[in-house]
């Protein structure tokens, strides 16, 4: 389905390439729900049956071939529609671009998939409008007017009915309650996402209140967010990811240099024992882990200098991927509250990645492991913890032990889960293959 112009900035910068991969490489140009082919004029009926010209058979709404006896009567209208595939987000969140959350759907299946979500949103909107109407235009407003002090005849107790007397008694506390409700509603909505530094302070204050409601201690909030400010450098990096639009040849030549290859082969031999242990536990071979290690941070030489909490707060405030990074910021607060890392220790790349293989806080909480056994999951200083945690994440994303990782092999989609830019995943697979061949 066409993306509205005002919504385009919610999608990743390489969305056209990702969408094309889902529709034409994974789905082979057919709807993954009903099987209708992209770009073809197909005949269909009102009950969702459609004619498959290639197989010369009618198919049902799920793409299953119907028996030959299921013929179409002369009195049934047959319509013709050109099929256009779109990459749909199954959870309706355009910032969640994991492959398992994307599906190639024709326009009919796309609308059916979205129907319940759109109905839910309309219901919420209706209830919100009704609640506001009751407060300002409905019976509550009538009670406020009837019992208002400007009605002089009600000021004397003798002039009041029992009901009016009751309303007058509760009017003041009800006023206070409504005022508190409106104040809370305003504080929750007064600091929306923004595109400049102007509203960041108000947004941060609102986020701190939300974090306190979510159960974070005031000590954690103060320690993590006290010195946080809007980071223009982070926004500049977020808007400047044109490198992922380069061709594979140009992109891979820039990253997989002879010096990096030689360094990778040296580290592969130096950590051979550790990598064998990791592969035995998680099923991920050493060349893949060393390739990720090399591409992400130059084998741990440059883990990043950005303040993680400040970077996450800036991206959470920014409207492009606000929901995604708000959750990442809360996960970073969990790390601080649990004592995994202090705010001063949390430094990494511009998007909030931490450690030698660049883990987001959500990935750290879910997949980080203490492979050294020293009681700490240290992805910054411990090579063993960093590589083992990386293997654990790949295994959790569906890595198949013993299978290949090239573009047409079973584990390549897992590399795409690691980084959704296809040119990066292809470069990673190429790097790992060359390291493996040099062993």
């Amino acid at each position: 389905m066409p993306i509205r112009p005002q919504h385009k900035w919610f999608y990743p910068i390489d969305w056209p390439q990702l969408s094309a991969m889902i529709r034409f490489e994974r789905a082979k140009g057919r709807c993954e729900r009903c099987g209708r082919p992209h770009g073809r004029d197909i005949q269909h009926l009102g009950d969702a049956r459609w004619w498959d010209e290639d197989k010369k058979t009618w198919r049902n709404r799920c793409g299953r071939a119907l028996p030959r006896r299921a013929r179409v009567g002369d009195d049934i209208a047959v319509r013709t529609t050109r099929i256009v595939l779109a990459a749909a987000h199954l959870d309706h969140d355009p910032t969640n671009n994991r492959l398992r959350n994307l599906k190639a759907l024709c326009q009919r299946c796309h609308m059916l998939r979205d129907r319940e979500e759109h109905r839910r949103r309309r219901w919420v909107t209706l209830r919100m409008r009704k609640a506001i109407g009751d407060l300002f235009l409905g019976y509550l407003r009538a009670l406020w007017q009837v019992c208002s002090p400007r009605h002089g005849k009600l000021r004397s107790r003798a002039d009041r009915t029992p009901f009016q007397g009751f309303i007058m008694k509760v009017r003041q506390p009800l006023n206070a309650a409504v005022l508190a409700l409106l104040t809370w509603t305003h504080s929750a909505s007064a600091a929306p996402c923004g595109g400049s530094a102007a509203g960041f302070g108000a947004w941060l204050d609102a986020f701190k209140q939300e974090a306190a409601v979510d159960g974070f201690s005031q000590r954690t909030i103060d320690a993590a967010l006290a010195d946080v400010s809007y980071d223009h450098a982070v926004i500049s990096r977020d808007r400047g990811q044109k490198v992922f639009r380069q061709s594979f040849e140009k992109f891979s030549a820039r990253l997989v240099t002879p010096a990096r290859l030689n360094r990778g082969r040296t580290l592969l031999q130096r950590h051979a024992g550790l990598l064998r242990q990791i592969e035995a536990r998680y099923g991920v071979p050493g060349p893949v882990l060393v390739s990720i290690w090399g591409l992400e941070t130059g084998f741990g030489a440059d883990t990043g200098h950005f303040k993680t909490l400040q970077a996450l707060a800036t991206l959470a405030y920014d409207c492009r991927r606000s929901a995604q990074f708000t959750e990442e910021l809360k996960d970073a607060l969990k790390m601080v509250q649990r004592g995994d890392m202090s705010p001063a220790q949390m430094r990494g790349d511009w998007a909030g990645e931490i450690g030698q293989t660049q883990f987001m806080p959500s990935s750290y909480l879910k997949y980080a492991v203490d492979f050294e056994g020293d009681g700490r999951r240290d992805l910054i200083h411990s090579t063993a913890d960093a590589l083992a945690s990386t293997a654990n994440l790949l295994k959790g994303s569906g890595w198949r032990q013993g299978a290949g990782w090239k573009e047409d092999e079973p584990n390549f989609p897992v590399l795409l889960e690691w980084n959704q830019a296809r040119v990066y995943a292809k470069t990673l697979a190429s790097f790992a293959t060359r390291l493996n061949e040099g062993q």
Side-chain angles (χ1 to χ4, degrees), residues 32 73 102 230 345 397 426:
E32 292 184 287
L102 297 174
Y230 186 82
Q345 293 172 327
S397 299
K426 288 177 64 176

Side-chain angles (χ1 to χ4, degrees), residues 12 44-45 50 83 117 135 137 172 175 190-191 200 225 261 275 303 311 316 327 347-348 362 364 407:
H44 61 95
L45 310 179
W50 61 280
I83 301 303
E117 175 66 12
L135 183 59
L137 302 175
Q172 186 172 357
N175 268 333
F200 181 76
L225 303 176
L261 268 171
L275 293 170
T303 58
E327 294 304 313
R347 284 183 174 268
S362 57
Y364 178 95
E407 190 171 11

